[in-house]
Amino acid sequence: MVEPANTVGVPMNPTPLLKDELDIVIPTIRNLDFLEMWRPFLQPYHLIIVQDGDPSKTIAVPEGFDYELYNRNDINRILGPKASCISFKDSACRCFGYMVSKKKYIFTIDDDCFVAKDPSGKAVNALEQHIKNLLCPSSPFFFNTLYDPYREGADFVRGYPFSLREGVSTAVSHGLWLNIPDYDAPTQLVKPKERNTRYVDAVLTIPKGTLFPMCGMNLAFDRELIGPAMYFGLMGDGQPIGRYDDMWAGWCVKVICDHLGLGVKTGLPYIYHSKASNPFVNLKKEYKGIFWQEDIIPFFQSAKLSKEAVTVQQCYIELSKMVKEKLSPIDPYFDKLADAMVTWIEAWDELNPATKA
């Protein structure tokens, strides 16, 4: 049986990495008591809390954390009519935090994610590992069988082209989970008691041309490199689909990273995912997506961006046009989603004029 780490007595790092260059984004509908166990690792950093649901509810944050909190009223006030692109009653609202941040890096985590233990019993500083992943290169053009060649104690294996060993900038660090795996509803129903107890000490670059199902509960990225593509779509209240927010963002991000020559890493760090969501509720949210993804995946696999698309914004607008053309025949939802993708970029550029394409 796998259990979360006990961080009582764990000292705080006196020189936390990227302290002034990173924001932590947390979507929530509840008090953030879970931050107590993360205190040794996260307290030095600035938090952006995106409150979902009832904006009149007060969210309690443990003392000592530096944070700003946005609820739906704030989102409507800041974005005006463009607030329509931010999901309501769904954790997809977290991407508003990416938009209002002014830092280079983002770490986002769910409020049911606790500190994991490595095989030796030591508490895992997930943020520190994400930062290490982001600060060292990726190798998307040729697979290294010893996984991440830039980690201490590893290197490029015999036969790896020297011309590719410099690598490329890493845009995304995708972490994993012990205990409750990130399964879809049908798999949850078939395997209700399954728990992930395997701690695999590995980080690898996802090869160019390969898509992956991105999970947003333990994720870090370079906001300056890929931020405008981290849109978690239209989910939740008033939408025909849910639980595809992070995966939609991941598919868009991977296509754009491949086009721009950026890297995506997956593996370490682990968090302890404490709570399984209701599979029957999940099935209602995922039902259409389970069918649609059989068309969505081939769409992204065949998506080709033009040579003229040299910024993330330009790439994303091109993708939105493809979504409208190719996916709208499946369901009118994709027509609305394509429009929301454009609105998202417009809102991003308004709040971040220095990064405007």
Side-chain angles (χ1 to χ4, degrees):
M1 180 179 169
V2 63
E3 294 180 341
N6 182 353
T7 59
V8 174
V10 174
M12 204 176 297
N13 186 343
T15 55
L17 294 169
L18 303 180
K19 176 181 176 294
D20 299 319
E21 298 177 66
L22 183 144
D23 278 334
I24 299 169
V25 175
I26 305 169
T28 194
I29 57 171
R30 58 182 63 87
N31 294 337
L32 295 181
D33 302 333
F34 90 112
L35 284 173
E36 282 296 350
M37 73 168 58
W38 284 101
R39 188 181 290 278
F41 307 134
L42 304 189
Q43 186 175 337
Y45 296 88
H46 179 69
L47 311 181
I48 298 177
I49 300 163
V50 184
Q51 178 180 345
D52 198 16
D54 182 3
S56 66
K57 181 180 177 182
T58 300
I59 300 292
V61 181
E63 193 174 337
F65 283 89
D66 172 44
Y67 71 93
E68 53 192 297
L69 186 149
Y70 298 92
N71 61 32
R72 192 69 204 188
N73 294 339
D74 299 315
I75 295 171
N76 292 339
R77 173 178 51 81
I78 293 167
L79 295 185
K82 292 184 175 67
S84 61
C85 73
I86 304 297
S87 299
F88 184 55
K89 294 185 178 177
D90 192 281
S91 64
C93 67
R94 78 176 77 221
C95 62
F96 177 76
Y98 310 159
M99 183 187 284
V100 296
S101 170
K102 297 292 180 271
K103 304 288 179 61
K104 178 172 169 57
Y105 300 99
I106 296 285
F107 170 48
T108 185
I109 186 171
D110 284 5
D111 59 18
D112 61 352
C113 293
F114 299 167
V115 179
K117 289 189 289 192
D118 69 15
S120 73
K122 183 183 177 184
V124 175
N125 184 345
L127 177 53
E128 183 177 66
Q129 180 63 51
H130 274 303
I131 291 171
K132 289 178 179 178
N133 292 348
L134 290 170
L135 292 183
C136 72
S138 292
S139 51
F141 306 123
F142 200 89
F143 189 78
N144 191 54
T145 51
L146 209 53
Y147 308 121
D148 191 344
Y150 306 101
R151 284 187 73 190
E152 190 175 342
D155 213 320
F156 295 97
V157 297
R158 181 170 55 90
Y160 200 99
F162 282 88
S163 59
L164 295 177
R165 295 190 181 194
E166 187 176 337
V168 301
S169 298
T170 301
V172 180
S173 172
H174 178 258
L176 299 174
W177 348 267
L178 294 174
N179 196 39
I180 306 292
D182 187 30
Y183 285 163
D184 54 38
T187 309
Q188 279 184 295
L189 288 165
V190 173
K191 298 180 170 183
K193 297 186 185 303
E194 184 154 293
R195 300 292 181 266
N196 182 33
T197 60
R198 292 182 304 156
Y199 185 102
V200 181
D201 186 10
V203 178
L204 54 149
T205 298
I206 300 173
K208 181 178 181 180
T210 300
L211 296 174
F212 75 112
M214 189 174 84
C215 172
M217 74 171 100
N218 174 25
L219 178 72
F221 60 93
D222 186 322
R223 187 175 170 277
E224 292 181 1
L225 286 181
I226 201 63
M230 275 288 180
Y231 176 47
F232 277 42
L234 288 177
M235 303 282 153
D237 195 47
Q239 308 302 335
I241 185 175
R243 284 172 56 82
Y244 274 80
D245 53 330
D246 42 7
M247 291 184 290
W248 179 265
W251 296 327
C252 292
V253 160
K254 189 58 169 62
V255 168
I256 292 172
C257 281
D258 286 352
H259 176 74
L260 296 178
L262 300 170
V264 177
K265 291 187 173 185
T266 188
L268 299 179
Y270 282 89
I271 50 85
Y272 179 93
H273 188 206
S274 66
K275 188 177 69 182
S277 48
N278 186 312
F280 296 100
V281 173
N282 290 347
L283 188 59
K284 285 180 68 176
K285 294 178 179 179
E286 295 173 3
Y287 177 75
K288 289 182 182 291
I290 290 169
F291 289 99
W292 290 348
Q293 70 185 20
E294 300 306 317
D295 292 305
I296 294 171
I297 301 301
F299 162 76
F300 280 108
Q301 287 174 326
S302 62
K304 294 287 185 287
L305 299 168
S306 72
K307 292 178 182 176
E308 289 71 37
V310 295
T311 68
V312 176
Q313 285 96 324
Q314 290 168 347
C315 291
Y316 204 72
I317 293 298
E318 282 197 9
L319 261 184
S320 74
K321 292 174 181 175
M322 295 181 205
V323 169
K324 187 177 278 282
E325 179 190 350
K326 304 287 189 183
L327 296 182
S328 290
I330 298 170
D331 192 274
Y333 164 75
F334 289 101
D335 196 59
K336 188 162 66 166
L337 177 58
D339 290 340
M341 292 168 72
V342 175
T343 303
W344 160 264
I345 292 296
E346 291 172 350
W348 182 284
D349 285 344
E350 281 184 16
L351 293 184
N352 301 276
T355 64
K356 189 172 181 179

